[in-house]
Amino acid sequence: MYNYLISNWVEIAGTILSLVYLYLSVKQNVWLWIFGFASSALYIAVFFQSKFYADMSLQVYYLVVSVYGFLHWTLKKQESGGNDLPVVSVNGKQIIMLSLSAVAIWAVYYFVLSNFTDSDVAFPDSITTALSIIATWMLARKMLEHWLIWIFVDAFSALLYWHKELYFTTGLFAVYTIMAIVGYLRWRKDLHTLAVL
């Protein structure tokens, strides 16, 4: 066990930081972006070693969107006189645009992974990556429905990581799935509260 912990310390540290990120995300705490940045930096190495190339590039995207999310949430709070950025719901036009964007991102990732890498999980890896890119952007804009995407992505990813014997990461994504349900219910309550006000 000791040898496993030592040889997998990057994955374990990334898992711990990701759990803190998830907790702060559910709580709508702006510091989620700092922990997200740190966990993504570690998971770049984990996914490279496991040949999850789309997920690896997704972690690079997370680094960038973490900076964007932190700045967006912070600046909006300052502009509103100290009030947090409110939870919003997507409209019909946004659903169409986000869906088309997800399909386009998936197609690009699948083409690249299938033709230019040795990935043996090109199809599922590109699906989870495309949806994760969309969901993370939606989180940065505090859109309620990002949690629905995460419920699917996290459950599906847990199966993929188990297949790749990334057991700590499998456990992390099982927790992510449960917490995505909790996050959705909690954010939906906030959305309805704001709507009443």
Side-chain angles (χ1 to χ4, degrees), residues 17 46 73 121 151 157:
L17 290 172
V46 172
W73 285 32
V121 288
I151 291 167
S157 294

Side-chain angles (χ1 to χ4, degrees), residues 42-54:
L42 293 174
Y43 266 106
I44 288 172
V46 172
F47 289 140
F48 177 77
Q49 185 177 15
S50 301
K51 298 182 180 179
F52 274 106
Y53 300 122

Side-chain angles (χ1 to χ4, degrees), residues 54-126:
D55 274 353
M56 182 189 74
S57 69
L58 180 60
Q59 300 307 309
V60 175
Y61 168 76
Y62 285 164
L63 293 177
V64 174
V65 84
S66 291
V67 174
Y68 169 77
F70 183 81
L71 292 175
H72 183 70
W73 285 32
T74 303
L75 293 175
K76 289 295 182 182
K77 185 171 185 173
Q78 290 173 354
E79 289 173 6
S80 66
N83 296 319
D84 289 331
L85 184 66
V87 176
V88 298
S89 187
V90 295
N91 60 40
K93 182 179 178 182
Q94 289 170 325
I95 291 172
I96 292 169
M97 294 306 297
L98 292 168
S99 299
L100 292 174
S101 297
V103 170
I105 294 166
W106 166 79
V108 170
Y109 266 104
Y110 182 65
F111 176 79
V112 171
L113 292 178
S114 298
N115 294 290
F116 301 106
T117 75
D118 58 349
S119 175
D120 58 350
V121 288
F123 187 80
D125 195 11
S126 56

Side-chain angles (χ1 to χ4, degrees), residues 8 10 19 38 42 45 51 53 66 71-72 106 116 130-131 140 144 148 159 161 169 171 181 196:
N8 293 282
V10 174
L19 288 171
L42 293 174
K51 298 182 180 179
Y53 300 122
S66 291
L71 292 175
H72 183 70
W106 166 79
F116 301 106
L131 291 175
L144 169 66
L148 298 176
L159 297 174
Y161 298 140
T169 306
I181 296 168
V196 170

